[in-house]
Amino acid sequence: MTGAQKELPQRAPVVIIGGGIVGVSTLYHLARRGIPAVLLERRKIASGTTWHAAGIVGQLRDSTAQTELGKYTARLFQELELETGQATGYKQNGTINIALSDVRHEQLLRSHDHAARMGIESRMLSRQEVSEKWPWIEAGDVKSGFFVPSNGQVNPLDVSVALVKGARALGASRFEDVEVKSLIVRNGKIVGVHTDSGDIATGKVLLAGGMWSHLFAKAHGVTLPLHAVEHFYIVTEPMGELPRDQPILNIVEERTYWKEDAGKLLIGGFEAMGKPWGSAGIPKDFEFDELPFDMDHVEAELEGMFARMPKLADMGIQTFFNGPESFTPDGRPYLGPAPEIDGLFIASGMNSNGILNSGGVGLTMAEWMTDGDPSRSMGSLLAARAHPFQANTRYVHDRSAEAIGFHYGIAWAGRQTETTRNVRKVVLHDSLHAAGAVFAERIGWEVPMYFDPDNQAWPTEPALGWKPWSGQVKAECLAARDNAVLIDQSMYGKILVQGRDAVKALNRICGAQMDIPTGTSVYTQFLNVRGGIEADVTITRIETDAFMVITGHPSQTRDKAWIRRHADPDWHFEIFDATSAYGLLTIHGPKSRAILSLISGDDLSNAAFPFGAAREIDMAYARGWAIRRSFLGELGYELMVPTEFTAHVYDALLSAGEGHGLKHMGMFAMNACRLEKGFRHFGHDIGEDDTPYESGLGFAVNLDKPDHFLGSKHLAEQKAAGPATQHRTVSLVVDEINAQSGPWLIHNEPIWKNGEIVGHVTSGDWGFRLEKMVGLASIHKDEGVSKVWIDEGGFEVQVAGRLYAARLQLAPFYDPKGEIMRG
């Protein structure tokens, strides 16, 4: 119905802005939960991006949670036809990814291992088998294929109609040709929407407007970094010998995908550098529209298609298509509550994955908007991960050109961005560059990853094992063990929570007791109602009513939002983002105390300044906070200094360290060291689905503190059940793997015992202090993961199709008793 044909309701429990596949999926899933939501579409359902999508449906993702949602989407498309009587065009043709290089072949082997852990049938294909399934392509350079038969494709328009039909049958409403002009916000909360057909009162709004979302959000002070980019594909004339169940083909090294489309062949590409579109705003009359096909821009991809399938030269090309799709700076969608406005939710920026994401995203958003939280981890996709500067339209315009290229191409640790660089720099950037820093970009920050004064060019040749920088990383790790290293972590988030009720606000979300003496530093986690980990932080009480929270640099926005979201509105406290107000220099190693003592007259002895202590001390001519901690597992100090004194303190430390072998260290070496020490990394080893007791962090939980805190009931039950939880995080080493020949542990490698998969590697790397392949892993046993069961041994880790004996233990392999960093 249009707004003119039917009057809008005065009230609605939820209003959804946008009638693309994600909006209608959320409408459907809310209706299944008994929520009669209202969807408003500016033109017609699916008329923006959805209608021209390729409709490819894959399931395998990086995480268990995301893979389960992918599997759900595939099931949903089949069940919708039975439920609604509306065909979705879903066909389970399967997908084939092919490898043209050794690196890509190893990645496919790893994907095959990962699929087995996820319960998804897959198999590797030889070159001959690839040729048998795709006889029309040149396969002489194909090394292997990876086939997932349960993947498929769907007709995006048909499935959108089916979702709307199903939603309306359950009491939901949708209105076409209704433009939402603005949100109605009072005291920071959604109270309604203003449209060209009248206002609707509501306390919850989902912004699912696709490529329109960025400017709409920006107009309301909400950061939503995405931008439309032109996407090209061609469709051949009917191809008689092409079966309707032809598997989809992906060639990431050539940035192309190939699929059967109503008896024709559709071939699309994701060029390394795309063409942004619509920076001044998407035209109001844009509806089922195409853009001009830029033959020159996609010449390289077209040449690759014709070289891969010479027969194309003799076939007619029926369609040269170009349509816009929205892309985000990091290639991931934005989902969940907007931190700026209470009651506003976001589901936008699908990065050409809207169809395959739609079922899982709709289910998840319905959970979020009714239960308050999703049932599974969405950490890497949170809308609250966006940083305020990313609301800059020129930034998202320029980055989106490259973001479309993230979609294909070989992903590896050295894959780096080229656009929108040097956006955020620490105050020591030029000094670090002069010292040989090789920088990578992280949320705009230029972050030193390693130091190599002789060659600061970023490597471009993909490598999954020993890498071009591994020699430099080794030297940095050994310096931390034998002498001392200096790391600039000034880009890390620093959140000042202050006021008479600051301790209450932190105690509500933290597992540890935050009513601690001034000058005490505590390692703790922000928790959710399930006892899962929402942030991994250190908190220092710097005054009676003031606490400094130090968190990872990607997390500062989401962590501030988590504190606010769970605080009592009557509490008196404020949150100040102090990230730019302070530098954070960290010094580690057996000589770190001696070096710091040369620039400070304060007593830094172990008796006067034990592990975990925090003091304001002299540093050369400056004053700053010193916190006795080390993420490397060495004797170490975190030095938080006012920004204007950071360069001075840095210079003083370098001078003092000249006779003590002090070296700079980058993030690659810090990661290798923390893995040897078994320190968990938020987002890799721990997250929203992991509790502290499961993660080996139960020491950071105080169940006896008087203040109720999130997840305390669940954690108390888990602790009462005994130490053998069903899931547990452990350290592991693989003695058989050699650093030079590999293969290296990275992430998601399955762990076997007695012929069964019992877990997976959460992160891995070469440990240069131990001279062993090290990692952290999450293991599972229904009857409980006991120390006895772990100590029995018999574990194997599967890496690129081969099993290697692995040693697992609860304690870290480097300094298991923690004597070094506490000495």
Side-chain angles (χ1 to χ4, degrees):
M1 290 288 183
T2 67
Q5 293 171 314
K6 183 176 180 181
E7 187 176 350
L8 296 180
Q10 292 184 338
R11 294 184 173 277
V14 176
V15 172
I16 298 172
I17 303 174
I21 187 72
V22 169
V24 297
S25 176
T26 306
L27 183 75
Y28 169 79
H29 285 92
L30 282 169
R32 288 186 61 172
R33 287 175 154 248
I35 306 298
V38 172
L39 183 145
L40 305 176
E41 164 54 44
R42 51 174 288 281
R43 289 291 177 178
K44 295 292 186 291
I45 295 297
S47 63
T49 294
T50 298
W51 73 275
H52 63 72
I56 298 172
V57 182
Q59 302 168 82
L60 192 61
R61 305 284 196 284
D62 184 60
S63 73
T64 301
Q66 293 301 312
T67 299
E68 289 302 319
L69 290 178
K71 292 163 72 173
Y72 169 78
T73 299
R75 292 195 306 271
L76 174 66
F77 289 164
Q78 299 174 71
E79 295 168 359
L80 268 176
E81 292 196 18
L82 297 175
E83 177 185 340
T84 66
Q86 168 67 47
T88 63
Y90 184 70
K91 298 191 299 181
Q92 213 168 48
N93 289 9
T95 56
I96 298 173
N97 282 270
I98 64 172
L100 306 178
S101 65
D102 291 337
V103 169
R104 183 59 180 158
H105 171 62
E106 181 177 332
Q107 287 183 329
L108 295 186
L109 288 171
R110 290 170 178 266
S111 293
H112 182 47
D113 296 344
H114 180 44
R117 184 175 77 83
M118 292 291 97
I120 296 176
E121 179 190 355
S122 68
R123 60 189 180 94
M124 295 297 294
L125 303 178
S126 65
R127 177 188 302 165
Q128 181 178 347
E129 289 173 313
V130 170
S131 291
E132 289 171 356
K133 290 185 178 294
W134 270 88
W136 311 280
I137 67 167
E138 291 291 325
D141 57 347
V142 172
K143 291 189 174 291
S144 63
F146 169 59
F147 181 42
V148 181
S150 59
N151 286 343
Q153 59 192 68
V154 72
N155 185 308
L157 272 174
D158 288 344
V159 77
S160 298
V161 171
L163 286 165
V164 171
K165 188 175 181 180
R168 293 181 67 189
L170 294 169
S173 303
R174 70 93 170 86
F175 296 89
E176 298 178 317
D177 298 310
V178 176
E179 182 181 356
V180 177
K181 294 291 189 179
S182 64
L183 305 173
I184 305 174
V185 181
R186 293 191 190 129
N187 299 320
K189 296 183 179 181
I190 289 284
V191 295
V193 295
H194 172 59
T195 83
D196 59 2
S197 300
D199 295 349
I200 303 177
T202 185
K204 294 179 181 178
V205 171
L206 173 66
L207 178 55
M211 55 189 173
W212 285 268
S213 299
H214 165 68
L215 292 178
F216 184 87
K218 186 177 181 180
H220 294 85
V222 174
T223 300
L224 180 47
L226 58 84
H227 201 286
V229 182
E230 299 182 19
H231 176 52
F232 303 85
Y233 60 72
I234 62 174
V235 183
T236 69
E237 295 288 349
M239 189 173 162
E241 67 270 40
L242 187 67
R244 294 301 177 96
D245 61 352
Q246 180 64 28
I248 298 156
L249 180 68
N250 294 306
I251 313 176
V252 301
E253 290 157 294
E254 294 180 344
R255 299 183 170 277
T256 60
Y257 63 90
W258 309 57
K259 65 175 284 266
E260 186 274 339
D261 186 74
K264 294 163 280 191
L265 187 59
L266 185 154
I267 315 171
F270 292 95
E271 62 273 30
M273 198 63 66
K275 287 184 66 179
W277 177 79
S279 292
I282 311 300
K284 286 191 174 184
D285 60 352
F286 192 90
E287 179 183 4
F288 297 113
D289 285 350
E290 298 182 30
L291 303 177
F293 193 92
D294 188 339
M295 198 75 72
D296 293 335
H297 176 71
V298 293
E299 181 179 4
E301 283 70 33
L302 289 173
E303 288 178 351
M305 295 172 190
F306 279 78
R308 182 59 59 188
M309 184 175 170
K311 182 178 179 177
L312 287 176
D314 302 320
M315 296 175 60
I317 305 300
Q318 186 180 83
T319 303
F320 288 89
F321 183 84
N322 178 16
E325 299 184 355
S326 60
F327 286 82
T328 66
D330 58 9
R332 302 193 301 268
Y334 288 95
L335 306 178
E340 299 90 344
I341 300 176
D342 188 15
L344 177 63
F345 293 78
I346 290 171
S348 296
M350 294 297 132
N351 297 275
S352 200
N353 283 330
I355 306 303
L356 61 89
N357 282 337
S358 60
V361 168
L363 173 66
T364 298
M365 297 312 303
E367 292 175 342
W368 233 319
M369 300 180 85
T370 55
D371 300 340
D373 289 288
S375 61
R376 46 181 67 81
S377 171
M378 292 289 117
S380 64
L381 310 180
L382 285 179
R385 78 180 186 276
H387 284 218
F389 86 93
Q390 293 179 307
N392 183 295
T393 300
R394 182 178 176 186
Y395 164 81
V396 290
H397 170 279
D398 292 353
R399 172 56 72 84
S400 68
E402 188 176 13
I404 191 172
F406 296 164
H407 202 54
Y408 275 44
I410 294 180
W412 67 295
R415 185 176 178 177
Q416 259 304 300
T417 57
E418 299 176 4
T419 58
T420 62
R421 293 300 298 266
N422 297 307
V423 174
R424 306 171 84 181
K425 297 180 182 179
V426 297
V427 70
L428 295 178
H429 178 87
D430 292 347
S431 297
L432 297 172
H433 182 268
V438 183
F439 296 94
E441 184 267 352
R442 299 287 186 271
I443 320 279
W445 288 108
E446 294 295 319
V447 180
M449 303 305 290
Y450 64 97
F451 286 78
D452 186 358
D454 297 326
N455 181 17
Q456 290 179 271
W458 191 267
T460 58
E461 190 65 30
L464 302 181
W466 186 271
K467 302 172 187 68
W469 55 74
S470 293
Q472 284 70 34
V473 170
K474 177 180 180 179
E476 294 169 19
C477 292
L478 297 185
R481 183 193 66 187
D482 301 333
N483 297 305
V485 293
L486 182 63
I487 310 173
D488 188 348
Q489 294 176 250
S490 298
M491 72 292 298
Y492 276 45
K494 305 168 201 79
I495 303 168
L496 180 62
V497 185
Q498 56 188 357
R500 70 175 188 234
D501 293 321
V503 67
K504 292 182 180 179
L506 291 173
N507 257 337
R508 171 67 60 84
I509 60 173
C510 292
Q513 170 61 265
M514 297 315 306
D515 195 0
I516 51 178
T518 301
T520 304
S521 175
V522 172
Y523 168 65
T524 187
Q525 290 79 39
F526 290 179
L527 303 174
N528 57 38
V529 293
R530 303 187 303 274
I533 298 170
E534 294 285 342
D536 191 54
V537 300
T538 59
I539 303 179
T540 302
R541 194 168 199 169
I542 58 176
E543 294 178 15
T544 301
D545 293 335
F547 298 79
M548 185 65 77
V549 180
I550 297 180
T551 185
H553 49 290
S555 301
Q556 66 192 71
T557 304
R558 66 171 288 184
D559 291 355
K560 289 185 295 181
W562 197 255
I563 299 171
R564 287 194 185 98
R565 175 180 171 187
H566 295 284
D568 190 310
D570 294 330
W571 288 345
H572 293 270
F573 73 97
E574 61 182 9
I575 301 171
F576 172 68
D577 192 333
T579 302
S580 298
Y582 294 92
L584 183 64
L585 303 177
T586 66
I587 184 169
H588 315 260
K591 298 182 181 179
S592 60
R593 180 183 284 125
I595 294 170
L596 186 57
S597 294
L598 288 174
I599 71 167
S600 177
D602 291 77
D603 186 353
L604 303 180
S605 67
N606 200 47
F609 201 166
F611 181 81
R615 305 276 190 276
E616 259 196 305
I617 66 171
D618 292 346
M619 302 178 197
Y621 296 131
R623 291 277 290 173
W625 279 90
I627 305 165
R628 178 81 189 277
R629 292 199 177 278
S630 172
F631 198 47
L632 279 62
E634 303 288 348
L635 171 67
Y637 304 84
E638 298 177 354
L639 308 176
M640 191 173 67
V641 187
T643 297
E644 65 269 29
F645 291 103
T646 303
H648 167 65
V649 173
Y650 169 79
D651 290 339
L653 286 169
L654 287 186
S655 179
E658 284 183 357
H660 294 277
L662 180 66
K663 286 180 66 70
H664 289 86
M665 175 180 272
M667 294 296 161
F668 282 145
M670 186 173 78
N671 183 65
C673 288
R674 68 95 186 170
L675 279 170
E676 291 176 301
K677 184 55 185 166
F679 286 150
R680 282 66 166 147
H681 183 279
F682 181 70
H684 287 90
D685 310 301
I686 52 177
E688 297 88 335
D689 293 337
D690 307 300
T691 73
Y693 290 123
E694 294 166 345
S695 305
L697 303 175
F699 64 87
V701 176
N702 185 344
L703 291 173
D704 297 325
K705 66 180 185 177
D707 295 328
H708 163 78
F709 65 95
L710 293 179
S712 57
K713 182 177 182 295
H714 179 74
L715 291 176
E717 293 171 351
Q718 195 170 62
K719 184 177 182 180
T725 61
Q726 289 184 330
H727 302 274
R728 213 154 184 185
T729 302
V730 297
S731 291
L732 81 159
V733 298
V734 185
D735 296 312
E736 187 179 349
I737 293 180
N738 177 275
Q740 295 288 343
S741 59
W744 285 29
L745 298 179
I746 301 174
H747 180 57
N748 274 333
E749 294 86 1
I751 294 175
W752 295 75
K753 183 173 182 175
N754 298 328
E756 295 181 351
I757 295 178
V758 296
H760 69 284
V761 174
T762 54
S763 53
D765 204 345
W766 183 258
F768 290 99
R769 293 176 300 185
L770 292 170
E771 281 297 306
K772 293 184 183 298
M773 187 62 63
V774 298
L776 285 165
S778 176
I779 54 177
H780 173 90
K781 190 170 186 285
D782 289 339
E783 299 78 16
V785 179
S786 67
K787 185 177 185 300
V788 171
W789 185 71
I790 295 172
D791 292 344
E792 284 175 356
F795 295 96
E796 295 177 298
V797 61
Q798 187 172 7
V799 192
R802 181 181 166 189
L803 292 173
Y804 298 86
R807 291 187 287 129
L808 276 60
Q809 64 184 41
L810 293 173
F813 285 90
Y814 185 78
D815 186 28
K817 295 182 180 180
E819 296 171 334
I820 295 175
M821 64 182 184
R822 288 179 168 82

